[in-house]
Amino acid sequence: MLERKSGVALWRQIADLIRSDIASGVAGQDGRLPPEMQLAKRYGVNRHTVRAAIGALEQEGVLRSEQGRGTFVRRRKRLTYPIRKRTRFSAGLGSQAASTRTRLLESGPEAAPEPVAEALGLAAGSQVIRLETVSEADGVPVSRATSWFDAQRFAGIDRAFEEHASITRALASCGVEDYVRASTIIEARHASAEDIELLRLSAGAIVLVTRAVNTAAEGRPIQYSETRFAADRVELRIENEDA
């Protein structure tokens, strides 16, 4: 159902409907979408609105247009990212990507927001170090993350990350040789303007958001993070290693 007074542009809503309908089989066996006029009738909008939605999905990499043939779904398999006891970006993708990297966008100290202080077991307003990063697989951005660390315990972790380009190695340089995932909360939402820019998405794209707490071997929280995954590129798999 379209919400014409929701404040969300119709073409964005149509783009979401096309994404959903692709998953339910709206495309033919060859991956071709129905013609624009047919889609316009299906969704109850004009052809220009459908064209704008298709253009956004092409920019995002969901669709591709072929002159004289039509619009096709890109048959690109999504990466599977496991959420497990020891969740690590490069190791998690394994052989799914020929190359991976995580780069630092910015970092700095700040007073811990309430959810961060609570997750790390700190007093409200304690100093923390915030890292903003983007992770790529085969040169394509798949996630962006904000991570927080106790500034007193992890002084210099931002410089360590710049040197090693790895949270795991940066923590090791600060004396944490191993850590485990204590909890993960997952939700889905529309991409923010920053998500769209950094992950190269189109307006209206969906991101999967994880809020996670990692702890050292003795159970003390060491990292709180919020990671946004491009939903059209990554699926999350919860793995029970005790099973």
Side-chain angles (χ1 to χ4, degrees):
M1 296 289 294
L2 296 177
E3 298 288 342
R4 297 181 181 272
K5 295 183 179 180
S6 66
V8 179
L10 282 180
W11 66 266
R12 292 187 182 181
Q13 297 183 56
I14 297 303
D16 285 342
L17 288 173
I18 292 174
R19 284 192 195 93
S20 176
D21 285 348
I22 287 172
S24 61
V26 69
Q29 290 293 321
D30 59 356
R32 179 160 44 191
L33 285 184
E36 288 180 359
M37 287 301 295
Q38 188 174 332
L39 290 173
K41 183 177 180 181
R42 177 188 183 97
Y43 300 124
V45 295
N46 62 49
R47 186 174 178 179
H48 296 294
T49 302
V50 169
R51 188 171 296 170
I54 288 174
L57 293 174
E58 286 177 344
Q59 179 182 341
E60 192 174 327
V62 176
L63 301 175
R64 60 180 172 80
S65 292
E66 294 186 13
Q67 186 68 34
R69 294 195 62 213
T71 303
F72 294 80
V73 178
R74 287 187 181 272
R75 301 296 187 185
R76 182 172 59 192
K77 185 177 180 179
R78 287 187 296 177
L79 298 169
T80 298
Y81 186 75
I83 305 296
R84 52 167 72 118
K85 185 176 181 180
R86 288 176 173 80
T87 297
R88 312 287 190 264
F89 178 70
S90 297
L93 295 184
S95 61
Q96 298 177 79
S99 65
T100 60
R101 74 162 181 159
T102 300
R103 55 189 177 89
L104 181 65
L105 300 176
E106 63 175 281
S107 64
E110 66 179 24
E114 185 176 343
V116 174
E118 182 178 353
L120 294 178
L122 301 174
S126 295
Q127 282 289 296
V128 290
I129 296 175
R130 176 178 51 85
L131 304 184
E132 299 282 352
T133 59
V134 169
S135 294
E136 301 175 354
D138 295 331
V140 177
V142 295
S143 67
R144 61 176 293 241
T146 307
S147 298
W148 291 269
F149 306 85
D150 179 0
Q152 184 174 355
R153 185 178 183 191
F154 295 106
I157 194 170
D158 47 350
R159 295 187 296 274
F161 184 90
E162 282 190 282
E163 178 182 352
H164 300 291
S166 163
I167 292 289
T168 300
R169 290 197 289 271
L171 283 170
S173 73
C174 294
V176 178
E177 296 297 334
D178 189 25
Y179 60 95
V180 297
R181 179 63 58 91
S183 65
T184 306
I185 296 173
I186 303 173
E187 65 179 24
R189 70 184 184 207
H190 280 95
S192 67
E194 283 189 327
D195 295 332
I196 290 168
E197 178 184 359
L198 294 171
L199 297 177
R200 303 177 205 162
L201 303 174
S202 63
I206 301 298
V207 291
L208 302 176
V209 183
T210 64
R211 294 184 176 88
V213 177
N214 287 327
T215 63
E218 73 277 9
R220 182 179 177 185
I222 59 171
Q223 177 190 6
Y224 176 67
S225 63
E226 179 181 299
T227 305
R228 283 76 81 198
F229 295 87
D232 286 323
R233 300 171 193 163
V234 179
E235 63 182 13
L236 303 178
R237 182 177 67 205
I238 310 299
E239 295 187 353
N240 183 356
E241 295 169 296
D242 295 328

